[in-house]
Amino acid sequence: MLERKPDIVDSEEQSRLLAVLRSTPDATNDRPVAVSAPSAPERSASMPYGLSMGLLAIFMGLLGVLGLMFGSVSIPAPTALGILVNWLAGFELVPVTWRGVYETIIIETRVPRVILAGAVGATLAATGMTIQAIVRNPLAGPSILGVSSGAATGAVVVMRWGLMGLGAFTLYISAFAGALVTLIIVFWVARTGGHMTPTRLVLAGIAMSAVLSALTSLLVLTSPDPQLASRVLFWTLGGFAAAQWKLLPLPIAALVIGLGTMLIQARRLNLLMAGDESATALGLDVHRFRQRMFVLTAALTGVMVAVSGVIGFVGLIVPHIVRFLVGSDHRRALPAVALVGASFAIAADLVARAVISPLELPVGIITALVGGPFFIWLLRRDAKVREQPI
């Protein structure tokens, strides 16, 4: 039996989309969506899409330069840019007038840190947008549904018993397994009784996060390793202080593969936004498609948690900002959400380093301080229009 779900697009936008969907002549199987397949309508943007993307890229670049300048040792912008230009060129393009230690700080520490923050932010934001589309719930996100906590708990289980048979990849695998199992349990709990409401889904995710936090604390308290608590703090609050060049290939590969897959599936994600009934009528096997996307989002979340810990609320906040800027069409929104997500994470890392400099706060604290009030605002807004079975 097909079930009605709430929308992450407004009623006017959905009406235009349904009109387009109904005009599509044929669709009978779960075949690849053709070029002529309908897509989500676009909001009237105040500026052209290309210009918006260009400005977002410039903004992200400026934040990246600031990320190179500030830290326990402040480096002037001309020096930071000169070091970066010479490193990218591979020879001395800018005359060297700075101390050699600045090059070490910039190249070995801050460039990997900015890249890691950008990759994690972009991936979590794109994952959040995809999860919101497949569950059609604007309150969904990797941290809200407990997926990030599940990934962290999976990693802590491996660390608690020293099950590092595959080295660093063991953490990635365990984080992915924890994220996937958590997602399955949350949806099983939320669908108890045959239907699911947005509130029930969010409550199931929050309850699962609380259970996983308690389980993580239990593992730490019963561990014979006195250093485990400090390592677990990294997983639960998140941060990019551990960034190194050798750590970057996996999150970058995950971002490229994950975002590429989402873009390939963008038309199907658009179909889901019109409702299960309409998507099924147009030939999409909704159940199988959701299963595949659940596995993808769990894998991406697991990888990012394994390299940075839990950076919460990025996947909740950024998709809403991007829909406001460029609309709900995933073909346009997914590239934008990656840029904004990267910018958000780099900015949060900058704030985390600046608040109590030369010490630094976990980045997860900064994102939680921003994301918590935003989540409350979303709850209050949606309480006026939602509470119907989905």
Side-chain angles (χ1 to χ4, degrees), residues 29-83:
N29 301 311
D30 185 21
R31 61 182 184 276
V33 180
V35 175
S36 59
S39 60
E42 300 169 5
R43 293 181 186 276
S44 55
S46 57
M47 65 177 66
Y49 178 71
L51 179 59
S52 299
M53 292 295 292
L55 292 176
L56 289 176
I58 292 173
F59 182 65
M60 184 185 69
L62 291 175
L63 286 173
V65 173
L66 291 176
L68 300 181
M69 293 170 54
F70 296 106
S72 56
V73 177
S74 295
I75 299 176
T79 300
L81 288 174
I83 294 172

Side-chain angles (χ1 to χ4, degrees), residues 29-309:
N29 301 311
D30 185 21
R31 61 182 184 276
V33 180
V35 175
S36 59
S39 60
E42 300 169 5
R43 293 181 186 276
S44 55
S46 57
M47 65 177 66
Y49 178 71
L51 179 59
S52 299
M53 292 295 292
L55 292 176
L56 289 176
I58 292 173
F59 182 65
M60 184 185 69
L62 291 175
L63 286 173
V65 173
L66 291 176
L68 300 181
M69 293 170 54
F70 296 106
S72 56
V73 177
S74 295
I75 299 176
T79 300
L81 288 174
I83 294 172
L84 184 63
V85 167
N86 284 353
W87 177 68
L88 291 174
F91 57 91
E92 190 176 315
L93 189 62
V94 178
V96 176
T97 58
W98 48 78
R99 297 162 54 191
V101 68
Y102 285 170
E103 290 192 8
T104 303
I105 294 174
I106 292 288
I107 304 302
E108 299 300 328
T109 302
R110 294 186 183 172
V111 171
R113 182 166 185 150
V114 169
I115 294 176
L116 179 63
V120 171
T123 305
L124 290 179
T127 300
M129 174 165 275
T130 300
I131 290 179
Q132 289 178 8
I134 58 181
V135 303
R136 299 188 64 212
N137 189 334
L139 302 177
S143 57
I144 298 300
L145 297 186
V147 183
S148 297
S149 297
T153 302
V156 172
V157 167
V158 169
M159 294 164 62
R160 166 64 174 78
W161 279 284
L163 306 174
M164 303 294 288
L166 298 177
F169 284 99
T170 307
L171 286 177
Y172 303 139
I173 295 172
S174 58
F176 162 67
L180 184 59
V181 170
T182 301
L183 199 55
I184 292 172
I185 293 175
V186 166
F187 275 85
W188 175 73
V189 172
R191 291 186 67 87
T192 300
H195 64 270
M196 180 168 57
T197 66
T199 301
R200 186 184 296 179
L201 181 65
V202 171
L203 290 178
I206 293 174
M208 195 65 192
S209 292
V211 171
L212 291 169
S213 296
L215 178 59
T216 301
S217 299
L218 179 63
L219 292 173
V220 172
L221 291 174
T222 58
S223 172
D225 182 1
Q227 303 298 322
L228 183 62
S230 61
R231 283 185 284 160
V232 168
L233 190 64
F234 163 77
W235 295 97
T236 53
L237 295 179
F240 306 115
Q244 303 175 41
W245 283 109
K246 65 180 182 182
L247 190 67
L248 295 181
L250 186 60
I252 292 175
L255 169 62
V256 172
I257 296 173
L259 186 60
T261 304
M262 292 173 189
L263 284 170
I264 292 173
Q265 303 295 336
R267 293 176 183 276
R268 288 189 171 93
L269 293 173
N270 288 343
L271 286 178
L272 281 184
M273 293 168 60
D276 286 9
E277 186 174 355
S278 299
T280 302
L282 288 165
L284 179 64
D285 186 333
V286 173
H287 183 65
R288 290 181 58 188
F289 179 66
R290 278 203 173 101
Q291 285 182 332
R292 292 195 292 266
M293 299 312 291
F294 279 151
V295 172
L296 175 66
T297 54
L300 294 176
T301 303
V303 169
M304 297 306 145
V305 170
V307 297
S308 67

